[in-house]
Amino acid sequence: MTLNQAIRHDLHRVIVEVAHEAALAAGAVARKSFLEASPETLQTQQKAGFFDIVTASDKAAEAAACEIIRSRLPASRILGEEGGLQGEGDTTFIIDPIDGTSNFASGLPFFCVSIAAYHVGEPICGIVYDPIREELFLATGGQLSLNGTEVKPFLRGCTDREVELLSNAPYEGERPSPAAQEAHADLVNSFRAVRRLGSCALHLAYVACGRVAVAYESKFSAWDIAAGIQLVAAAGGLVIAQDDEGRSLAAHEEALGSVKRLVVAQAGFDYQSSCLSKLMADGIL
């Protein structure tokens, strides 16, 4: 190994460590706030409407993660759901402090912290941390682990009839069009079950580790998907990312903001014969 390679390897290791620490710090804030819920911790504000909220705990969790990053790697950029883009540097951290805020605010224990890290555009790690179940999914170096143990998922079913689909569609905020309602009906009729769990990042993590075969989303931001896509890729799964006109995108750092439709699936799932594949190809979803 050359000197440059050794330096690069060491920097990547530090980036992973910092992302890991930041996820745990944000998760600790979210967990405490959830378990000790009060009007103060659950104080909400609307963002895009009544269906899109932020709580005081979202902001506190993001602040905890940012504090870790700035103290360890001050020459970094941070893109946070609540704080926007801050800082300068070759390393970028993309943070969703509480993905599943509506669940969190409602008392449903299904939410997570999502942190993805990149260096000069290269994906370094993706972390999805569920602080209630204390499950930390980590993708780095082409490997997927859960709480430090390598995950080797197996396929429970290859076709729609054999598996469940995770999707948060149809989405809150507007009445689904007749075409969208028909598409959802087609999915319900095709898959063994369609589940709407309320956290895009956990949907992706569950596909990555083999708890479900396929997931579809079309209403999200970069911080919702950045870590989860890395998890699925590390597990050898299928990632289909498209812009709002249906053009395929490579889901790297620069393109994340342009991804508007996303399908992830386990390796071996027969996506080409899936009802989901046809709906995506026809531009209905």
Side-chain angles (χ1 to χ4, degrees):
M1 181 181 291
T2 67
L3 179 60
N4 284 342
Q5 287 176 320
I7 292 172
R8 182 169 171 269
H9 180 268
D10 188 57
L11 175 60
H12 287 192
R13 178 184 56 77
V14 172
I15 292 171
V16 174
E17 289 176 356
V18 171
H20 186 272
E21 290 177 25
L24 291 178
V29 172
R31 178 183 171 86
K32 186 175 189 297
S33 298
F34 183 81
L35 296 178
E36 301 174 9
S38 68
E40 289 73 29
T41 60
L42 296 180
Q43 181 181 359
T44 63
Q45 295 176 325
Q46 292 185 14
K47 297 201 294 190
F50 70 92
F51 54 89
D52 184 14
I53 62 172
V54 59
T55 70
S57 298
D58 288 81
K59 297 177 181 179
E62 183 166 306
C66 290
E67 182 178 354
I68 295 291
I69 294 167
R70 292 193 186 105
S71 67
R72 294 284 308 276
L73 290 171
S76 298
R77 299 195 315 158
I78 300 174
L79 175 60
E81 179 174 11
E82 311 311 333
L85 184 60
Q86 306 173 51
E88 295 291 338
D90 290 333
T91 303
T92 303
F93 293 88
I94 301 178
I95 303 172
D96 191 339
I98 300 179
D99 184 60
T101 298
S102 185
N103 285 349
F104 175 89
S106 299
L108 294 172
F110 194 82
F111 56 88
C112 67
V113 179
S114 175
I115 299 182
Y118 299 81
H119 184 68
V120 198
E122 178 186 353
I124 303 301
C125 69
I127 294 173
V128 171
Y129 176 47
D130 178 342
I132 299 301
R133 292 167 187 79
E134 297 186 311
E135 291 186 327
L136 190 142
F137 304 88
L138 167 65
T140 189
Q143 288 192 323
L144 173 67
S145 64
L146 172 56
N147 292 343
T149 300
E150 185 178 358
V151 176
K152 296 181 179 179
F154 67 91
L155 189 64
R156 299 169 188 263
C158 298
T159 66
D160 292 1
R161 288 286 188 267
E162 299 173 303
V163 304
E164 299 187 351
L165 166 71
L166 296 184
S167 178
N168 288 315
Y171 300 94
E172 300 86 353
E174 60 183 5
R175 186 178 182 84
S177 67
Q181 292 183 56
E182 284 296 318
H184 188 69
D186 286 343
L187 294 175
V188 170
N189 188 56
S190 182
F191 284 88
R192 186 173 70 190
V194 178
R195 305 295 188 206
R196 191 169 180 269
L197 304 182
S199 170
C200 177
L202 278 174
H203 281 184
L204 304 189
Y206 279 20
V207 171
C209 74
R211 292 178 181 173
V212 69
V214 59
Y216 158 78
E217 301 291 355
S218 66
K219 191 173 183 179
F220 49 77
S221 297
W223 42 77
D224 298 307
I225 63 171
I229 284 176
Q230 290 195 43
L231 298 180
V232 175
L238 174 71
V239 177
I240 297 175
Q242 298 180 351
D243 65 14
D244 53 7
E245 295 184 6
R247 291 174 296 215
S248 295
L249 297 170
H252 51 69
E253 180 189 350
E254 298 283 319
L256 285 173
S258 299
V259 178
K260 302 301 179 185
R261 304 161 75 207
L262 178 69
V263 172
V264 296
Q266 281 190 269
F269 175 71
D270 188 2
Y271 176 71
Q272 293 307 315
S273 70
S274 171
C275 164
L276 183 60
S277 175
K278 183 178 187 306
L279 292 172
M280 286 283 285
D282 291 344
I284 297 173
L285 287 177

